[in-house]
Amino acid sequence: MTTTPVDCDAAHQELLANAVRLQPLLRDSVLSSEAMRRLPDETVETLTDAGFFRLLKPHRFGGLPVGQRTMLELTEALGAANASAAWLVSITAGGTAVAKHGSERAQSEVFSSPDSRIAGGLAPGTACRVDGGLLISGSWSYASGAPHADWAAIHAAVSGQDDGDTKSYLCLVPAAELRLRDTWHTVGMRGTASQTFLANQVFVPDHRTIPFSTLLGRSVAPSEPEAQPPLAAVAPLVLVGPLLGIGRAAADLAIEQAGAKPLTDTFFARQSDSVGVQIQIAEAELKLRSARLHALEVADAVDAGEIGHGEAGYAQRARARAQCGYAAQQVLEAIQILVNVHGAGSFADSNAMQQHWRDANVGARHAGLNSFVGYEIYGKSLLGVAERISPLV
């Protein structure tokens, strides 16, 4: 059994049209996002008004449980205008996918506002069991959208007192109960405000904890378990859409300018007249197309319920993980070619190409898109090697 996503053509097209409509405004907010190292409040409000923080949330809470193809194409369109804005929409959707594995009571709290925003981190904090829940402490970095978040989804590990066993939980915590440390000083994706959550003995009731065994599909989830697609396939996929958008924007810029810019130190009055440039543009476009086709294949497989839970679905999930990492690398390689075509002027502060180059190179380094980890997981699966190197598969 799979979810029935809201992916009728009219809803799909309406969401994409809204994303395209907002592109000029989102482009205008890039410079302020860079300077502030977070999205301006008015940009967040615009994304909220468009319903983009309702994506993947259940109908019964006023959400928009769209399919992964819609998620991919929508964040691609946003990413072509403002990579950080697209990233936050994707991250909230990823947090939603996590929270949907929680208890009905937890979901009713987290989704009490259909526009609630979720940030988080998977670096394990520590926890001790108390009556009715956990007391958690720790720091969780790279929490994209933390200053705008209503909720945090953070990892805590409880060490067993008797047998030495350690049990891990994903804790859903109101963001107001956590402190923020401003640690996000980066080259790219500055507007994501991926800061650090801090907790010191914060109480999390049992109903807002999700055992990692449930989250990773190794046991039955408490609410509509069969309806949830494997998180291991969804988690990296939601990160690919913004990267596809960045690649598209870089290609459009290079192609547009090639018809007007001379090729320095040659007799070509226009870059587009050079066979060398023509070949490079074609190669970059094919890499972007390859990335998109791989991502769409994963998205369609998730939407069709073809990627299974448990051991039976491991090979499918391993391939999906590798495909997402491969797609990210194809985008990076395409942008590198486009920067070479565009020339040294790419790195002028006033040139959007350097923005695309910086944002893509930061975004593609997310741990979930580590291509060599993905390739190793997939290669072991293909060769029948039993060793597992990542819990999120």
Side-chain angles (χ1 to χ4, degrees):
M1 176 180 174
T2 58
T3 51
T4 305
V6 180
D7 264 353
C8 65
D9 187 62
H12 178 89
Q13 295 302 326
E14 182 180 358
L15 284 167
L16 293 186
N18 281 339
V20 172
R21 175 179 58 82
L22 294 180
Q23 284 178 334
L25 183 148
L26 293 175
R27 288 191 187 96
D28 289 343
S29 70
V30 169
L31 291 180
S32 54
S33 300
E34 285 268 295
M36 298 167 61
R37 293 180 296 109
R38 57 180 286 174
L39 292 184
D41 289 343
E42 54 268 29
T43 302
V44 175
E45 290 172 6
T46 296
L47 296 171
T48 302
D49 291 343
F52 294 154
F53 293 120
R54 300 188 176 198
L55 301 171
L56 302 191
K57 290 176 182 170
H59 262 310
R60 65 187 183 278
F61 297 115
L64 295 171
V66 300
Q68 291 301 313
R69 175 178 276 260
T70 295
M71 276 296 310
L72 190 74
E73 294 188 10
L74 188 150
T75 53
E76 178 185 25
L78 296 176
N82 186 317
S84 291
W87 192 263
L88 292 198
V89 170
S90 293
I91 289 295
T92 288
T96 294
V98 168
K100 284 163 65 177
H101 287 263
S103 68
E104 183 66 21
R105 183 178 174 187
Q107 291 186 54
S108 67
E109 293 175 4
V110 175
F111 302 144
S112 60
S113 166
D115 297 308
S116 60
R117 294 179 290 273
I118 306 170
L122 292 181
T126 60
C128 63
R129 184 158 292 285
V130 296
D131 185 32
L134 302 176
L135 285 179
I136 66 169
S137 299
S139 63
W140 295 268
S141 56
Y142 308 127
S144 296
H148 304 289
D150 302 296
W151 288 86
I154 50 182
H155 178 192
V158 182
S159 296
Q161 296 179 348
D162 299 325
D163 56 8
D165 186 31
T166 298
K167 295 184 178 180
S168 291
Y169 297 86
L170 204 290
C171 301
L172 300 170
V173 185
E177 295 181 9
L178 303 173
R179 291 181 293 120
L180 272 183
R181 178 181 292 159
D182 185 358
T183 54
W184 191 242
H185 299 267
T186 57
V187 170
M189 287 288 192
R190 290 176 178 168
T192 64
S194 302
Q195 297 175 8
T196 299
F197 280 128
L198 302 173
N200 183 20
Q201 299 288 288
V202 172
F203 177 71
V204 184
D206 282 329
H207 73 272
R208 284 202 264 107
T209 66
I210 307 171
F212 257 78
S213 58
T214 295
L215 194 63
L216 301 179
R218 294 177 185 163
S219 65
V220 176
S223 175
E224 304 172 87
E226 299 85 5
Q228 304 305 324
L231 185 64
V234 173
L237 182 61
V238 297
L239 305 174
V240 177
L243 293 174
L244 294 177
I246 300 170
R248 182 71 264 148
D252 288 346
L253 176 60
I255 291 170
E256 177 187 355
Q257 293 295 311
K261 289 180 62 177
L263 190 59
T264 304
D265 290 335
T266 73
F267 296 118
F268 291 115
R270 301 181 305 171
Q271 289 180 332
S272 57
D273 292 332
S274 164
V275 172
V277 168
Q278 295 161 10
I279 291 172
Q280 289 179 88
I281 291 292
E283 183 181 5
E285 278 287 344
L286 289 173
K287 286 182 179 295
L288 293 176
R289 183 173 178 80
S290 177
R292 195 169 194 272
L293 289 172
H294 275 282
L296 286 172
E297 182 177 46
V298 176
D300 289 343
V302 171
D303 288 343
E306 296 172 357
I307 300 181
H309 293 272
E311 192 62 29
Y314 183 82
Q316 302 158 321
R317 299 195 304 273
R319 183 179 68 186
R321 171 79 176 258
Q323 285 181 283
C324 289
Y326 181 78
Q329 288 304 305
Q330 290 299 297
V331 172
L332 288 186
E333 291 178 16
I335 290 177
Q336 188 62 42
I337 293 170
L338 295 166
V339 167
N340 289 341
V341 168
H342 204 55
S346 298
F347 297 98
D349 285 342
S350 59
N351 195 314
M353 186 64 82
Q354 53 82 25
Q355 178 83 51
H356 303 324
W357 182 78
R358 289 187 291 109
D359 285 342
N361 273 278
V362 171
R365 264 68 183 193
H366 189 284
L369 297 176
N370 186 316
S371 58
F372 288 103
V373 170
Y375 300 163
E376 182 175 355
I377 290 168
Y378 187 35
K380 288 181 188 297
S381 174
L382 290 171
L383 295 169
V385 177
E387 181 187 11
R388 303 293 167 87
I389 66 169
S390 172
L392 194 60
V393 185

